Amino acid sequence: MKTILRTLLFGVLFLSQIVYAKEIKINSLKSLAKYAAESGNQIVMEPGIYRLIDYFNLDSINAHRIRKEFQYITFTGSNNTFNLNGVEIELDTEIRTQLNPPIHSDEFLVTGSNNTFLGLTIRCIGEGTSKGGTVLQVAGESNILKQITLHVAGSYPYGYGDLFGKGKQKETTVKHRKHSGLLVTGNDTKLYGCKVYNRSFGHCFFIQQHPKNVYFEGCYAEGEVRSTDDILAETSGPAYDVEFKTWTQNRDGEYVVTPGYMKSLCEDGFRTYGKCENISFKNCTAKNTRGGFELRFNKAHVENCTTIGTERAYWIGDNTKLINCKGDANYGPLLFVEGDNTEVELFVSPDESDRLVHSLITVLGKNNTVVLKTENEKKRTKDLPILIGYTPPMHGESMSPYSEAEVVGLHLKNETGMPISIGEMAINCSIETNGKILENKGRNNQIVEK
């Protein structure tokens, strides 16, 4: 009985320390690193710009390397609140070059649990590069990030997107040093109003190592775009040095940069790797990224989300739901479906560009339901075919050709006025459309034209 009472008393005292933890005010990165390793505190950092190089200076790099300390600050503590509103950490990317960590080493790391982070901005400056690392990784459980903003730079080469490869692939023609934004590997991570402005070849937000219950709300991912015509005009540099040889073939079967297209210079806005359980996105936006929401091989819930000027907007797999989402096909397709049992409600923006785009959507798989609507009842003026029974192009690259694939039991409602091509492996599909049928090579498909 005494043991039980002592346990209960300890629990009450522990919880009271969390609830009534004294507010601790700090004004240095050294203090932030100190409290990052402690638990049960409420930390308030004085607003201002803090230079990482003043805390993690070049003179100490060798010592950090010997101790294999490749993170700048690691938040190992739990049950903390870090009020960092108005705090900006200026991250000189040259530190990363000098530190020379192993590939995929992250820079700020959260391994503790039940922490809340409010309002921090991290801004990359300088000409240094990373070897595949991320600015911030959240690895602990049940952490909450609110209004965190990352300005990412520090990759090589920058200015070409994935035209020349993405990493270790043998087809890569230019070796990359990638630098990404925010990585989630911990269960029950929640992000609200977080933003990544990516001026680096790497992902904005991405999820790895199969975490459960990851939630994004009101988050924003932004990259830059550049035309392939502009790239081909270069007279020096890494693209010129490899004679503009790409890792993916174009529609003529050639491995060369092709004029007329638009490339994002970063990777994906929101990306998942492997199967992650219960992943949700609400009111999130991806602009000028390679993929907007690339959620292949996952069951995901995507609601009220938007894509603007992406190379490919939504790429989804089994059991995913897109509810009241929207996007354009300015620079590439709006949707790739390559799984089974998906439910899609997608509004097509009327925005258009002069860049080459070869489809509005492609669909393969079984028992999918896709409803395509016009945004504000405004239709595109340029036709883009809806491809039923077709794969995405190789590696998702807009310059590459499509192949045919099996689609069975699709329910498609097309209210966009865009035309439809039905491949020969489309079987038992139900299609209602106000756009014309360009071809129908499938079997046992029911088509209602309005």
Side-chain angles (χ1 to χ4, degrees):
M1 187 67 178
K2 290 182 179 179
T3 302
I4 295 173
L5 288 173
R6 279 198 300 268
T7 302
L8 289 172
L9 180 61
F10 175 80
V12 171
L13 289 172
F14 178 72
L15 289 172
S16 67
Q17 287 175 351
I18 297 172
V19 175
Y20 300 108
K22 183 179 179 181
E23 184 177 277
I24 299 170
K25 296 184 178 181
I26 61 174
N27 60 3
S28 71
L29 292 179
K30 182 177 180 180
S31 294
L32 180 61
K34 173 184 182 298
Y35 287 105
E38 299 184 8
S39 297
N41 294 310
Q42 293 188 34
I43 307 301
V44 179
M45 193 166 183
E46 182 178 321
I49 297 175
Y50 296 81
R51 300 198 323 155
L52 182 67
I53 202 166
D54 294 335
Y55 164 68
F56 204 101
N57 61 64
L58 297 180
D59 292 337
S60 66
I61 289 294
N62 191 52
H64 283 280
R65 192 187 301 114
I66 291 172
R67 294 195 300 267
K68 300 186 184 300
E69 295 176 352
F70 299 114
Q71 279 74 42
Y72 301 142
I73 296 178
T74 302
F75 293 83
T76 57
S78 297
N79 305 302
N80 294 301
T81 296
F82 292 91
N83 185 337
L84 306 172
N85 284 305
V87 172
E88 179 175 314
I89 298 176
E90 185 182 87
L91 192 164
D92 191 332
T93 53
E94 182 60 26
I95 299 173
R96 215 64 190 156
T97 302
Q98 296 295 325
L99 188 60
N100 192 29
I103 191 170
H104 301 315
S105 296
D106 303 302
E107 295 163 15
F108 293 87
L109 179 62
V110 180
T111 58
S113 299
N114 299 297
N115 297 296
T116 298
F117 298 86
L118 307 170
L120 173 66
T121 294
I122 301 175
R123 186 182 302 274
C124 295
I125 65 167
E127 301 298 325
T129 58
S130 167
K131 293 192 296 186
T134 61
V135 173
L136 173 62
Q137 182 190 162
V138 184
E141 295 197 351
S142 302
N143 290 294
I144 298 173
L145 279 66
K146 295 184 177 181
Q147 306 298 327
I148 305 301
T149 301
L150 306 181
H151 296 266
V152 184
S155 67
Y156 176 86
Y158 181 68
Y160 311 103
D162 62 359
L163 278 171
F164 306 113
K166 295 193 292 186
K168 294 182 179 180
Q169 293 89 348
K170 64 181 181 180
E171 301 93 344
T172 294
T173 60
V174 177
K175 187 175 180 180
H176 290 76
R177 294 171 64 92
K178 300 204 294 185
H179 194 204
S180 295
L182 199 156
L183 168 62
V184 175
T185 58
N187 293 333
D188 301 295
T189 301
K190 293 180 172 59
L191 299 94
Y192 300 92
C194 295
K195 300 178 176 67
V196 175
Y197 297 90
N198 202 345
R199 303 300 183 259
S200 168
F201 184 60
H203 294 301
C204 295
F205 299 94
F206 64 121
I207 303 172
Q208 289 182 328
Q209 300 181 22
H210 318 296
K212 300 177 181 179
N213 309 320
V214 178
Y215 181 75
F216 294 81
E217 183 174 330
C219 294
Y220 179 79
E222 180 186 292
E224 291 183 305
V225 294
R226 186 184 182 198
S227 72
T228 53
D229 305 77
D230 189 42
I231 292 168
L232 286 166
E234 292 186 352
T235 57
S236 64
Y240 181 84
D241 291 343
V242 298
E243 299 179 332
F244 304 100
K245 182 180 179 182
T246 60
W247 76 306
T248 303
Q249 66 178 342
N250 64 16
R251 297 170 74 87
D252 294 324
E254 300 175 338
Y255 290 82
V256 64
V257 178
T258 308
Y261 295 89
M262 189 70 82
K263 291 295 294 182
S264 172
L265 305 187
C266 68
E267 292 189 289
D268 302 322
F270 299 89
R271 174 69 182 265
T272 59
Y273 284 91
K275 292 188 176 181
C276 310
E277 187 176 323
N278 191 25
I279 308 301
S280 298
F281 304 84
K282 186 176 182 180
N283 300 331
C284 295
T285 299
K287 180 179 180 180
N288 293 346
T289 58
R290 182 183 65 189
F293 295 82
E294 189 154 326
L295 314 174
R296 303 163 65 192
F297 318 121
N298 267 284
K299 177 182 179 181
H301 183 94
V302 188
E303 185 174 353
N304 298 335
C305 290
T306 301
T307 62
I308 304 166
T310 58
E311 280 190 52
R312 50 192 186 252
Y314 301 89
W315 194 340
I316 62 174
D318 293 345
N319 302 299
T320 288
K321 291 185 178 181
L322 298 186
I323 300 172
N324 195 40
C325 292
K326 65 180 180 180
D328 63 49
N330 258 353
Y331 305 139
L334 179 61
L335 173 69
F336 296 143
V337 177
E338 63 171 353
D340 302 335
N341 304 306
T342 65
E343 297 179 28
V344 174
E345 179 191 34
L346 196 51
F347 290 82
V348 180
S349 167
D351 295 340
E352 299 174 339
S353 76
D354 64 349
R355 299 292 87 191
L356 291 171
V357 182
H358 300 290
S359 72
L360 182 65
I361 74 169
T362 68
V363 184
L364 59 86
K366 298 179 180 178
N367 303 318
N368 296 302
T369 298
V370 178
V371 178
L372 299 175
K373 303 179 180 181
T374 58
E375 185 183 9
N376 299 323
E377 298 185 355
K378 294 182 180 179
K379 297 180 180 180
R380 291 176 52 90
T381 60
K382 299 178 182 178
D383 281 352
L384 274 183
I386 295 166
L387 302 181
I388 307 303
Y390 287 82
T391 68
M394 183 179 293
H395 305 133
E397 172 55 62
S398 291
M399 294 186 301
S400 296
Y402 298 92
S403 301
E404 293 195 42
E406 186 178 71
V407 59
V408 179
L410 169 69
H411 297 277
L412 171 68
K413 186 175 183 181
N414 171 33
E415 300 178 358
T416 67
M418 293 297 101
I420 297 176
S421 288
I422 303 170
E424 62 183 14
M425 286 187 274
I427 304 169
N428 297 329
C429 297
S430 173
I431 298 171
E432 181 181 327
T433 178
N434 64 356
K436 62 184 177 181
I437 303 296
L438 297 176
E439 62 177 358
N440 180 6
K441 299 187 293 184
R443 293 183 286 115
N444 299 323
N445 298 308
Q446 297 182 350
I447 301 172
V448 176
E449 296 185 65
K450 291 189 172 182

